[in-house]
Amino acid sequence: MNARGFATISTILAIAPAGIVPAAQDALEACTRGAEPLVTISEVRGACAVAFDGAAILACAPEQAGDADNRQIVRAIAVPGQSAAPKVEALPTEARCAVDLAISPGGTVAIADAAGAVHLVERGGARRSIGADVLEGPSGVAWRRGELLVSDRRAHAVVILSPEGVERARLGVGALREPLGIAVDSEGTVFVADRVADCIWRFDADMVDRASGVSAAAPARLGERGSNPGQLRSPRDVIVRETGGSKCLLIADELNHRIQSLTTDGAFVGFFGMHALVPRQGDGRIHYPVSLALAADNTTLAVAEAFEDRIQVFRLTAVPDEIDPAATSPDFISSHFGAESACGDDMLALVDVETQGVAILDARRTPPIHISIIGGVGATPGRFIDIGAVAIEPGRARVWIADGGR
């Protein structure tokens, strides 16, 4: 299942934002406090992961056009300031449902496939797949000193693989709930975004006991659930920015619709990306960010927004963004619905992704009239953890709800 709840063929996009000139490394601090929007690349269907490959941007786009015989890596050129779909060049990949990707120093692209494998694409075009006998539900991938670290949302762990696919160790067993994006700093410290636990886990470089293959100590938890500064709601990805000997974390804070900046100890520094008030509102407004990538200039940041089918590119700054006055207006959206919906027997069912409740509305009026709310987040009967689909049974007014968390 992808970000919109449909099982589709995966596509990787390679997008070169032409005209983006790397900013000079001036007095920018490692812990970013703001960002200037540069380019919005639209029509990247279901954009769920990004990575810089030189001047290009690789993006997992599982909803891009294609069929079972046309799984692709697509190379495209985007023109700054334009929203038209980029021109594409297709290259093959074995992924059935690509959810993340990472590029090694040597240029090998590792693609995490939610179907249960990691696919490797070499610079020369050679392809192979590893981990099918080890992985259950890959959800994130990163390179560390020749090893592959793979988040596995079903195993609730980070699996460390050799380049040949041999399991060497596991991180976070018994602690991680739904590990997704992974970042590794220059010293080998591992940071993992946990969507369900609403935090970032930090594993120090020496935490793995190679003899037993498991973590030698409990990871450090950074952040807690909430919408205040330093708090997180469904973090999907994390990257490390290192500048002048200092480090900070940039986090795709999905349900708070922002990019947060924290120290590697979890202290709040700043955030940017005012919440989009309406769909397709860009120019720095962020709507459900799911993946981040930092270019080699250490200043250009790409943000994937699967719900909006786009990638926004920013230039990081040390100056905090100004508060948008629209955020305090009566029309500001405090909660809203996701892509999952159903209609039948004059009823409309919509999923509120922030509360994990299903709103029932009378669809005979315009706009529809609210009737009731089913469920809400929780593990008790009648409540839900991660609603992936909803349907209304015709003729019986019965609502069916698929809960991926259970």
Side-chain angles (χ1 to χ4, degrees):
M1 303 291 284
N2 58 39
R4 290 180 180 269
F6 300 102
T8 54
I9 300 302
S10 299
T11 301
I12 310 298
L13 290 178
I15 305 168
I20 293 181
V21 179
Q25 274 293 48
D26 50 16
L28 288 182
E29 299 174 23
C31 285
T32 302
R33 290 175 170 80
E36 171 192 354
L38 296 176
V39 179
T40 296
I41 304 168
S42 60
E43 300 302 323
V44 184
R45 299 293 183 182
C48 62
V50 285
F52 275 97
D53 184 15
I57 297 175
L58 298 182
C60 294
E63 295 177 28
Q64 207 76 14
D67 54 39
D69 298 321
N70 193 27
R71 304 186 185 108
Q72 301 171 341
I73 295 176
V74 178
R75 186 171 300 279
I77 302 297
V79 179
Q82 294 187 3
S83 299
K87 295 175 59 177
V88 298
E89 174 190 11
L91 297 172
T93 176
E94 302 298 327
R96 293 171 54 194
C97 188
V99 291
D100 197 17
L101 70 164
I103 305 174
S104 74
T108 300
V109 180
I111 303 167
D113 187 342
V118 172
H119 307 289
L120 302 179
V121 182
E122 307 288 348
R123 273 281 185 246
R127 294 174 289 156
R128 57 193 176 92
S129 300
I130 63 173
D133 57 341
V134 174
L135 302 171
E136 300 177 47
S139 49
V141 63
W143 291 91
R144 186 180 71 166
R145 299 169 183 169
E147 296 178 322
L148 276 169
L149 293 95
V150 184
S151 294
D152 194 313
R153 64 191 302 176
R154 293 182 181 174
H156 309 289
V158 172
V159 182
I160 302 177
L161 299 176
S162 72
E164 294 72 37
V166 177
E167 180 177 345
R168 291 178 172 173
R170 294 199 174 205
L171 300 175
V173 176
L176 304 186
R177 297 181 64 185
E178 187 175 333
L180 297 176
I182 309 174
V184 181
D185 71 11
S186 58
E187 297 177 346
T189 303
V190 178
F191 299 88
V192 182
D194 192 324
R195 188 180 74 88
V196 173
D198 293 306
C199 73
I200 304 297
W201 297 102
R202 186 188 71 212
F203 297 86
D204 294 334
D206 58 354
M207 285 183 60
V208 177
D209 180 356
R210 292 293 182 175
S212 64
V214 298
S215 304
R221 179 187 178 120
L222 311 179
E224 61 182 8
R225 179 183 176 88
S227 58
N228 291 322
Q231 295 180 325
L232 303 169
R233 288 290 309 280
S234 187
R236 292 286 296 268
D237 198 13
V238 57
I239 60 175
V240 182
R241 184 170 187 251
E242 303 188 43
T243 304
S246 58
K247 305 174 185 177
C248 80
L249 306 179
L250 294 174
I251 301 164
D253 192 0
E254 184 186 23
L255 294 189
N256 284 325
H257 307 281
R258 65 190 179 190
I259 308 303
Q260 279 215 74
S261 179
L262 306 180
T263 70
T264 55
D265 291 324
F268 172 76
V269 177
F271 70 89
F272 63 89
M274 289 299 300
H275 183 299
L277 300 180
V278 295
R280 303 298 182 262
Q281 188 175 19
D283 296 328
R285 291 186 180 272
I286 290 177
H287 205 197
Y288 297 118
V290 297
S291 181
L292 306 175
L294 189 62
D297 64 14
N298 214 26
T299 301
T300 305
L301 180 79
V303 180
E305 298 165 272
F307 185 85
E308 296 288 350
D309 295 329
R310 73 185 179 199
I311 297 168
Q312 290 196 71
V313 182
F314 295 83
R315 176 170 291 131
L316 300 177
T317 71
V319 180
D321 291 353
E322 295 183 3
I323 299 298
D324 191 325
T328 59
S329 74
D331 296 327
F332 182 73
I333 300 174
S334 59
S335 64
H336 51 276
F337 303 113
E340 296 79 17
S341 62
C343 194
D345 296 334
D346 297 322
M347 289 185 1
L348 177 65
L350 299 170
V351 176
D352 186 331
V353 296
E354 300 190 13
T355 66
Q356 290 301 300
V358 177
I360 305 299
L361 300 93
D362 185 338
R364 293 174 294 181
R365 304 283 187 88
T366 303
I369 299 173
H370 179 264
I371 299 174
S372 66
I373 290 283
I374 299 174
V377 68
T380 57
R383 291 188 169 271
F384 312 103
I385 297 173
D386 184 14
I387 298 176
V390 61
I392 295 177
E393 184 176 349
R396 302 189 67 177
R398 178 182 294 177
V399 180
W400 294 81
I401 299 168
D403 186 354
R406 303 172 72 177

